[in-house]
Amino acid sequence: MPLAHLPATGRPGRAPGRAGRTRTAGRRPAAALVCALATVAALAAAPPVPAATGRVAADPVATATAADEASAVEVSVNAGVGLGTIDKAAFGVNHALWDSHMNDPEVTGLLEEAGVGVMRYPGGSYGDIYHWKDHSAPGGYVAPGTTFDEFMGSVSAAGSQPMIIANYGTGTPQEAADWVRYANVTRGYGAKYWEIGNEIYGNGHYGSGWEADDHPDKSPREYARNVLSYAQAMKAVDPTIKIGAVLTTPGDWPDGITGPDDSADWNHTVLSAVAGTIDFAIVHSYPGGATADDALDRTARLPGQLREVRRQIDRYAGERSSKIGIALTEVNSNVQMNSRPNGLFAADTYMTALENGVFNVDWWNVHNGPTKVETVDGDTDFNDFGLLSSGGCVGEVCQPAVNTPFHPYFGIKSLTELGRPGDTMVASSTDSDQVSAHAVHRADGTLSVMLINKDPLNALTAEISYSGYTPTAQAPVVHRYGRGDTDVTRVAATAGGDQVLPPYSITTITVAPHAAAASLGAPGAPKTTAVGNSTATVSWTAPANGKAVRYEVYERLGTNAQLLATSTSTSATLHNLPPGSEHTVNVLARDADGRLSRPSEPLTFATTAPRDSSCLVTYRVDSGWGSGFVATVTVSNVGDAPVNGWTLDFTWPSTGQSVQSSWNANVTGSGTRVHVTDNGANAELAPHGGTTATFGFVGANDGANPVPTTFTLNGTVCRTS
């Protein structure tokens, strides 16, 4: 999110709204500095937050009686369905130049304890006004002790790495290249990830401007042209760095909007120009809502949004797509931000993003400042984006001592009990919309399951079943962060095997394997070598250790898996796939003793529409506004026989898509299915494309708005264009 520019006095500014709603993340909000300064002196005397120990704490709900009274939730875990490996850069946070506590040793220690592997700098929209050579941000406030070298000292002390925003808005490619030279050649920091600007689409081109951008041309095509110039200059200094380009998040403003004199929206314009050059795409997420509970529910939109980003990258990058990562470099709920439900949101969102192809997630932010006071779940909430208290006040109500962790800090810290970089995320699900599940097969052979109970009133009992993994009968190791806990705490496992989940809690259950693992590692990441309308050929590399006697290719179906093919070589052809359909597969190796390896990285691909069909459908989005769109569909009969009366059927790729109104055809919908019939006047379709039928509709989208892939005309699957 953008940052309001601070006046030279250092008094925090208040951020303007955007697109009809207030969005203040990424900005230093208003706070009473007198109270904040009063708490700074108390910081040295404030006791540090105690770290979790191996001592088992008493669990007031872990009794047979509580287990009997709590409603049961069925949890399914499948260790044979891999969702990817946790990257070294997975768990990150944002730092900001106005934060005088950025480099406090206590802060560095807290972030290290929380497993933070990336620290982003110099802070949201400050990235587009910051000049690293003289450590200045014209129009903003720069706190003492926040220079790049001081920041890198904290990064090193925490065992982390930087995510650096190169100044696009008021900088130049040469300034960015000089920064790379200083960081990696002169100082030897090895800074790997470099973003070209922050939220550049907020430069006023779409009518709302918060991001500094001195370029006369503020269009996406100009941004793309400059990304290429930045990348060339920066990689000439250090070719090993990774360059990231800014995209809009599908379904969030200004996604889908075509600006003045543009031929396409931001993402399609930018990716069409830079997909051959960049190393990662950058998106931000602030789902919002009236409460943090609303935002927690809206985490369900994220998989579809991230899948659409990948589809867009696939479209323009082709075979190079697998080399382009996705980074979620800012995330927060944007409401009730210090609250317990926002702590649940933090844990749920990090894992949901990582499970859906993101390599890095960065919380906005470490310190920010209070804006208003309210009570959430019995706690005082300051609507402060920070993970840690800045010691500010709203009127006479002041935050706790500087650097005191808020609930989202412990939500992120809980992830250290679930998995670490190098561990394999695997499929998991529950039968309750009140409980989210995430599972990780750890490098030491254990398997951890995180269960997030979003119900503020009721304890629930988790009945966990495992596929592809057999745990021992010994009691699992359980960690919890819930009401009454002052840290992520080890607690006793519930008697009887099932685990009680207290209201508003994060519970992580770790089990050990019953039998020895396979003697070989996972196969290399699969890739497609050929894709048709009903077949696909995939290939992979052999495991780095051990000898495989056979490979098995499985398609992911939720937490279940369907065997598609077996092979004694490192490739296989998958048959009988529906035209125009998406599939996600893993490859597993089997050793001579019949044991399966861990799953490979997942591969998602789509089959093509049939090339020899007798019908052709063109689907075009004419305009969009983030939550809605106008589309035009053209139907052609390219067969030999005339068509007199037609029906067209297709399915929305996302559950958030729907038709609101239509013209030139009768359009109805049920769930994700759409049924269209001619209106009489356009019922006749002459052969060989002699006539066409065109209709349009207004649609709505809550989240991403992907294009439907399969259309059937009178039961025949059509070609698409």
Side-chain angles (χ1 to χ4, degrees):
M1 295 295 288
L3 300 169
H5 297 172
L6 302 183
T9 61
R11 180 174 177 78
R14 188 162 181 86
R18 176 192 322 174
R21 62 192 180 102
T22 302
R23 299 181 69 184
T24 56
R27 306 171 174 83
R28 175 75 153 115
L33 292 186
V34 173
C35 186
L37 291 173
T39 61
V40 173
L43 176 59
V49 176
T53 68
R55 182 173 59 86
V56 178
D59 187 344
V61 297
T63 65
T65 300
D68 290 340
E69 293 176 352
S71 299
V73 175
E74 294 184 5
V75 181
S76 300
V77 178
N78 192 336
V81 176
L83 307 182
T85 303
I86 299 176
D87 195 274
K88 291 181 180 179
F91 307 120
V93 297
N94 276 268
H95 275 304
L97 291 176
W98 66 76
D99 178 13
S100 61
H101 297 286
M102 174 197 296
N103 298 308
D104 287 357
E106 184 181 11
V107 172
T108 302
L110 286 168
L111 297 181
E112 184 179 18
E113 287 178 15
V116 170
V118 163
M119 300 182 189
R120 188 173 181 244
Y121 178 91
S125 293
Y126 264 57
D128 285 309
I129 61 172
Y130 179 60
H131 301 285
W132 70 273
K133 288 184 179 180
D134 61 3
H135 189 53
S136 67
Y141 171 69
V142 177
T146 61
T147 66
F148 177 59
D149 285 318
E150 288 168 309
F151 162 74
M152 286 304 302
S154 294
V155 169
S156 177
S160 187
Q161 60 181 313
M163 173 76 73
I164 301 173
I165 309 169
N167 185 340
Y168 172 85
T170 61
T172 65
Q174 187 59 55
E175 181 182 26
D178 290 344
W179 197 355
V180 174
R181 180 176 291 104
Y182 177 79
N184 292 355
V185 178
T186 304
R187 301 291 294 178
Y189 290 141
K192 182 178 181 180
Y193 298 108
W194 297 77
E195 302 179 54
I196 309 304
N198 184 52
E199 295 175 347
I200 299 301
Y201 47 78
N203 59 9
H205 184 68
Y206 297 104
S208 184
W210 63 87
E211 198 77 14
D213 184 359
D214 286 349
H215 298 86
D217 182 353
K218 293 177 171 53
S219 68
R221 61 182 176 274
E222 177 69 1
Y223 173 71
R225 186 186 70 78
N226 279 287
V227 166
L228 298 177
S229 297
Y230 272 72
Q232 181 179 18
M234 296 164 74
K235 287 198 172 187
V237 176
D238 183 354
T240 69
I241 65 172
K242 303 295 184 183
I243 297 293
V246 173
L247 298 183
T248 63
T249 303
D252 290 350
W253 188 93
D255 174 57
I257 298 175
T258 301
D261 301 320
D262 293 341
S263 59
D265 66 2
W266 181 277
N267 284 8
H268 290 86
T269 303
V270 171
L271 283 172
S272 65
V274 307
T277 299
I278 62 171
D279 302 291
F280 63 103
I282 302 154
V283 291
H284 292 171
S285 179
Y286 293 87
T291 66
D293 286 293
D294 292 342
L296 185 57
D297 289 339
R298 290 171 71 82
T299 300
R301 302 165 73 240
L302 198 53
Q305 292 176 309
L306 295 173
R307 180 64 198 133
E308 181 61 10
V309 173
R310 177 53 63 187
R311 288 190 189 102
Q312 293 171 358
I313 295 172
D314 288 344
R315 174 178 177 179
Y316 295 107
E319 293 183 358
R320 192 175 181 272
S321 179
S322 61
K323 298 179 180 179
I324 300 176
I326 302 173
L328 184 59
T329 61
E330 287 186 24
V331 66
N332 201 313
S333 70
N334 203 25
V335 60
Q336 296 179 339
M337 292 159 287
N338 315 122
S339 67
R340 186 177 301 280
N342 205 35
L344 308 186
F345 170 86
D348 202 20
T349 299
Y350 269 68
M351 290 311 303
T352 299
L354 295 172
E355 291 163 348
N356 286 278
V358 167
F359 75 89
N360 162 253
V361 185
D362 302 323
W363 188 260
W364 183 266
N365 56 355
V366 176
H367 295 99
N368 209 82
T371 55
K372 68 175 182 178
V373 175
E374 59 183 312
T375 300
V376 181
D377 193 41
D379 296 330
T380 301
D381 184 79
F382 295 91
N383 281 276
D384 181 339
F385 285 94
L387 287 173
L388 309 178
S389 171
S390 62
C393 306
V394 176
E396 296 181 353
V397 181
C398 293
Q399 293 180 322
V402 176
N403 295 331
T404 299
F406 292 126
H407 290 297
Y409 169 83
F410 295 110
I412 295 171
K413 185 177 180 180
S414 294
L415 301 176
T416 63
E417 302 300 341
L418 176 64
R420 297 280 186 165
D423 293 342
T424 303
M425 296 173 287
V426 297
S428 61
S429 66
T430 78
D431 66 351
S432 170
D433 60 5
Q434 290 293 305
V435 179
S436 294
H438 306 282
V440 173
H441 193 174
R442 307 184 72 152
D444 63 4
T446 59
L447 192 148
S448 296
V449 184
M450 173 176 281
L451 300 173
I452 302 171
N453 183 3
K454 298 177 282 187
D455 190 327
L457 301 176
N458 301 301
L460 303 170
T461 298
E463 300 175 350
I464 307 175
S465 61
Y466 299 87
S467 298
Y469 189 93
T470 304
T472 62
Q474 67 189 51
V477 174
V478 181
H479 288 84
R480 183 194 65 202
Y481 183 68
R483 291 178 180 140
D485 296 326
T486 58
D487 205 337
V488 180
T489 307
R490 182 171 174 178
V491 298
T494 307
D498 298 331
Q499 186 63 44
V500 172
L501 313 176
Y504 261 176
S505 66
I506 302 170
T507 304
T508 306
I509 303 104
T510 301
V511 295
H514 177 72
S519 59
L520 67 169
K527 61 181 180 180
T528 56
T529 56
V531 178
N533 64 343
S534 62
T535 62
T537 300
V538 296
S539 63
W540 55 89
T541 56
N545 58 291
K547 180 175 177 58
V549 299
R550 189 175 70 185
Y551 297 96
E552 300 175 7
V553 182
Y554 289 89
E555 179 176 14
R556 176 186 176 187
L557 302 172
T559 53
N560 296 318
Q562 172 179 282
L563 180 64
L564 295 184
T566 62
S567 176
T568 55
S569 68
T570 55
S571 68
T573 298
L574 314 179
H575 297 278
N576 301 318
L577 305 175
S581 57
E582 277 193 348
H583 304 268
T584 299
V585 299
N586 295 106
V587 180
L588 289 82
R590 197 176 286 275
D591 64 17
D593 294 323
R595 295 173 299 189
L596 281 173
S597 70
R598 291 173 184 249
S600 70
E601 295 288 306
L603 166 68
T604 298
F605 64 89
T607 55
T608 63
R611 295 181 176 86
D612 57 352
S613 176
S614 60
C615 54
L616 172 67
V617 173
T618 300
Y619 179 100
R620 184 184 72 243
V621 175
D622 301 309
S623 61
W625 49 92
S627 60
F629 61 100
V630 176
T632 299
V633 182
T634 300
V635 182
S636 301
N637 171 20
V638 294
D640 297 328
V643 171
N644 187 6
W646 55 267
T647 63
L648 183 74
D649 294 278
F650 64 90
T651 301
W652 292 119
S654 170
T655 57
Q657 295 172 287
S658 62
V659 174
Q660 302 298 298
S661 61
S662 62
W663 51 93
N664 294 340
N666 304 307
V667 184
T668 58
S670 176
T672 59
R673 295 182 178 275
V674 180
H675 182 70
V676 187
T677 60
D678 65 75
N679 67 352
N682 57 6
E684 295 185 7
L685 300 176
H688 308 298
T691 57
T692 61
T694 298
F695 66 92
F697 61 87
V698 175
N701 57 290
D702 181 16
N705 185 30
V707 172
T709 57
T710 305
F711 298 85
T712 59
L713 183 71
N714 292 348
T716 298
V717 179
C718 300
R719 284 188 286 163
T720 57
S721 66

Short mmCIF file of all heavy atoms in Angstrom, two decimals, residues 141-167:
data_model
loop_
_atom_site.label_atom_id
_atom_site.label_comp_id
_atom_site.label_asym_id
_atom_site.label_seq_id
_atom_site.Cartn_x
_atom_site.Cartn_y
_atom_site.Cartn_z
N TYR A 141 9.15 11.95 5.70
CA TYR A 141 9.97 12.01 6.91
C TYR A 141 10.89 10.80 6.96
O TYR A 141 10.44 9.66 6.82
CB TYR A 141 9.09 12.04 8.15
CG TYR A 141 9.84 11.88 9.45
CD1 TYR A 141 10.69 12.89 9.91
CD2 TYR A 141 9.73 10.72 10.20
CE1 TYR A 141 11.40 12.74 11.09
CE2 TYR A 141 10.42 10.57 11.39
CZ TYR A 141 11.27 11.58 11.83
OH TYR A 141 11.97 11.43 13.00
N VAL A 142 12.17 11.05 7.18
CA VAL A 142 13.17 9.99 7.30
C VAL A 142 13.68 9.99 8.74
O VAL A 142 14.28 10.96 9.20
CB VAL A 142 14.33 10.19 6.32
CG1 VAL A 142 15.39 9.11 6.52
CG2 VAL A 142 13.82 10.16 4.87
N ALA A 143 13.42 8.93 9.45
CA ALA A 143 13.83 8.84 10.85
C ALA A 143 15.32 8.58 10.96
O ALA A 143 15.93 7.98 10.06
CB ALA A 143 13.06 7.72 11.55
N PRO A 144 15.95 9.02 12.04
CA PRO A 144 17.37 8.71 12.23
C PRO A 144 17.58 7.21 12.41
O PRO A 144 16.70 6.49 12.88
CB PRO A 144 17.73 9.49 13.50
CG PRO A 144 16.42 9.69 14.22
CD PRO A 144 15.39 9.82 13.16
N GLY A 145 18.76 6.77 12.01
CA GLY A 145 19.12 5.37 12.20
C GLY A 145 18.47 4.42 11.21
O GLY A 145 18.34 3.23 11.51
N THR A 146 18.08 4.93 10.03
CA THR A 146 17.37 4.08 9.06
C THR A 146 18.07 4.01 7.71
O THR A 146 17.46 3.70 6.69
CB THR A 146 15.93 4.57 8.85
OG1 THR A 146 15.96 5.91 8.32
CG2 THR A 146 15.14 4.54 10.14
N THR A 147 19.37 4.33 7.67
CA THR A 147 20.09 4.27 6.40
C THR A 147 20.11 2.85 5.86
O THR A 147 19.84 1.88 6.58
CB THR A 147 21.54 4.75 6.56
OG1 THR A 147 22.24 3.81 7.40
CG2 THR A 147 21.61 6.14 7.16
N PHE A 148 20.44 2.72 4.59
CA PHE A 148 20.49 1.41 3.96
C PHE A 148 21.48 0.50 4.67
O PHE A 148 21.18 -0.68 4.92
CB PHE A 148 20.85 1.56 2.48
CG PHE A 148 20.99 0.25 1.77
CD1 PHE A 148 19.94 -0.65 1.70
CD2 PHE A 148 22.20 -0.10 1.17
CE1 PHE A 148 20.08 -1.86 1.03
CE2 PHE A 148 22.34 -1.31 0.50
CZ PHE A 148 21.27 -2.20 0.43
N ASP A 149 22.64 1.02 5.02
CA ASP A 149 23.63 0.19 5.71
C ASP A 149 23.14 -0.23 7.09
O ASP A 149 23.37 -1.38 7.52
CB ASP A 149 24.96 0.93 5.83
CG ASP A 149 25.70 1.00 4.50
OD1 ASP A 149 25.73 -0.02 3.79
OD2 ASP A 149 26.24 2.07 4.18
N GLU A 150 22.47 0.68 7.80
CA GLU A 150 21.93 0.31 9.12
C GLU A 150 20.83 -0.75 8.97
O GLU A 150 20.75 -1.70 9.76
CB GLU A 150 21.41 1.56 9.82
CG GLU A 150 22.53 2.49 10.29
CD GLU A 150 22.03 3.84 10.72
OE1 GLU A 150 21.29 4.48 9.95
OE2 GLU A 150 22.40 4.28 11.84
N PHE A 151 20.00 -0.58 7.97
CA PHE A 151 18.97 -1.58 7.69
C PHE A 151 19.61 -2.93 7.38
O PHE A 151 19.19 -3.96 7.92
CB PHE A 151 18.12 -1.11 6.51
CG PHE A 151 17.31 -2.20 5.84
CD1 PHE A 151 16.18 -2.72 6.44
CD2 PHE A 151 17.68 -2.69 4.59
CE1 PHE A 151 15.44 -3.72 5.82
CE2 PHE A 151 16.95 -3.68 3.96
CZ PHE A 151 15.82 -4.20 4.58
N MET A 152 20.65 -2.94 6.55
CA MET A 152 21.29 -4.21 6.19
C MET A 152 21.97 -4.85 7.39
O MET A 152 22.10 -6.08 7.46
CB MET A 152 22.29 -3.99 5.06
CG MET A 152 21.65 -3.77 3.69
SD MET A 152 20.54 -5.11 3.17
CE MET A 152 21.64 -6.52 3.23
N GLY A 153 22.37 -4.04 8.36
CA GLY A 153 22.92 -4.61 9.59
C GLY A 153 21.89 -5.44 10.33
O GLY A 153 22.19 -6.53 10.84
N SER A 154 20.65 -4.94 10.38
CA SER A 154 19.57 -5.69 11.03
C SER A 154 19.20 -6.92 10.22
O SER A 154 18.91 -7.99 10.78
CB SER A 154 18.35 -4.80 11.21
OG SER A 154 18.62 -3.75 12.12
N VAL A 155 19.20 -6.79 8.89
CA VAL A 155 18.91 -7.94 8.03
C VAL A 155 19.90 -9.06 8.31
O VAL A 155 19.53 -10.23 8.48
CB VAL A 155 18.95 -7.52 6.54
CG1 VAL A 155 18.92 -8.75 5.63
CG2 VAL A 155 17.80 -6.58 6.22
N SER A 156 21.16 -8.70 8.38
CA SER A 156 22.21 -9.70 8.63
C SER A 156 22.07 -10.30 10.02
O SER A 156 22.19 -11.52 10.20
CB SER A 156 23.59 -9.05 8.47
OG SER A 156 24.61 -9.97 8.78
N ALA A 157 21.78 -9.46 11.01
CA ALA A 157 21.67 -9.95 12.39
C ALA A 157 20.52 -10.93 12.55
O ALA A 157 20.59 -11.86 13.36
CB ALA A 157 21.49 -8.77 13.35
N ALA A 158 19.46 -10.76 11.76
CA ALA A 158 18.30 -11.64 11.85
C ALA A 158 18.42 -12.85 10.94
O ALA A 158 17.52 -13.69 10.91
CB ALA A 158 17.03 -10.86 11.50
N GLY A 159 19.52 -12.95 10.19
CA GLY A 159 19.67 -14.05 9.26
C GLY A 159 18.68 -13.98 8.12
O GLY A 159 18.25 -15.00 7.58
N SER A 160 18.32 -12.77 7.73
CA SER A 160 17.29 -12.54 6.73
C SER A 160 17.92 -12.08 5.42
O SER A 160 19.14 -12.16 5.23
CB SER A 160 16.29 -11.51 7.26
OG SER A 160 15.18 -11.35 6.43
N GLN A 161 17.10 -11.60 4.48
CA GLN A 161 17.57 -11.02 3.23
C GLN A 161 16.65 -9.87 2.86
O GLN A 161 15.50 -9.82 3.28
CB GLN A 161 17.62 -12.06 2.12
CG GLN A 161 16.30 -12.70 1.78
CD GLN A 161 16.41 -13.75 0.69
OE1 GLN A 161 17.04 -13.52 -0.34
NE2 GLN A 161 15.81 -14.91 0.91
N PRO A 162 17.14 -8.91 2.05
CA PRO A 162 16.32 -7.75 1.74
C PRO A 162 15.46 -7.94 0.49
O PRO A 162 15.81 -8.71 -0.41
CB PRO A 162 17.36 -6.65 1.49
CG PRO A 162 18.52 -7.40 0.89
CD PRO A 162 18.53 -8.75 1.58
N MET A 163 14.34 -7.26 0.47
CA MET A 163 13.53 -7.03 -0.73
C MET A 163 13.56 -5.52 -0.92
O MET A 163 13.01 -4.78 -0.10
CB MET A 163 12.11 -7.54 -0.55
CG MET A 163 11.15 -7.19 -1.68
SD MET A 163 11.35 -8.18 -3.18
CE MET A 163 10.67 -9.76 -2.64
N ILE A 164 14.22 -5.03 -1.98
CA ILE A 164 14.48 -3.60 -2.13
C ILE A 164 13.61 -3.02 -3.24
O ILE A 164 13.51 -3.58 -4.33
CB ILE A 164 15.96 -3.35 -2.44
CG1 ILE A 164 16.84 -3.92 -1.30
CG2 ILE A 164 16.23 -1.87 -2.63
CD1 ILE A 164 18.31 -3.87 -1.59
N ILE A 165 12.99 -1.87 -2.94
CA ILE A 165 12.19 -1.15 -3.93
C ILE A 165 13.09 -0.12 -4.59
O ILE A 165 13.51 0.86 -3.96
CB ILE A 165 10.99 -0.44 -3.29
CG1 ILE A 165 10.18 -1.40 -2.42
CG2 ILE A 165 10.11 0.18 -4.37
CD1 ILE A 165 9.14 -0.71 -1.55
N ALA A 166 13.41 -0.33 -5.87
CA ALA A 166 14.17 0.66 -6.62
C ALA A 166 13.23 1.81 -6.99
O ALA A 166 12.09 1.59 -7.41
CB ALA A 166 14.77 0.03 -7.87
N ASN A 167 13.70 3.04 -6.85
CA ASN A 167 12.89 4.23 -7.07
C ASN A 167 12.54 4.39 -8.54
O ASN A 167 13.37 4.77 -9.35
CB ASN A 167 13.65 5.46 -6.56
CG ASN A 167 12.81 6.74 -6.63
OD1 ASN A 167 11.84 6.83 -7.35
ND2 ASN A 167 13.23 7.73 -5.86
#
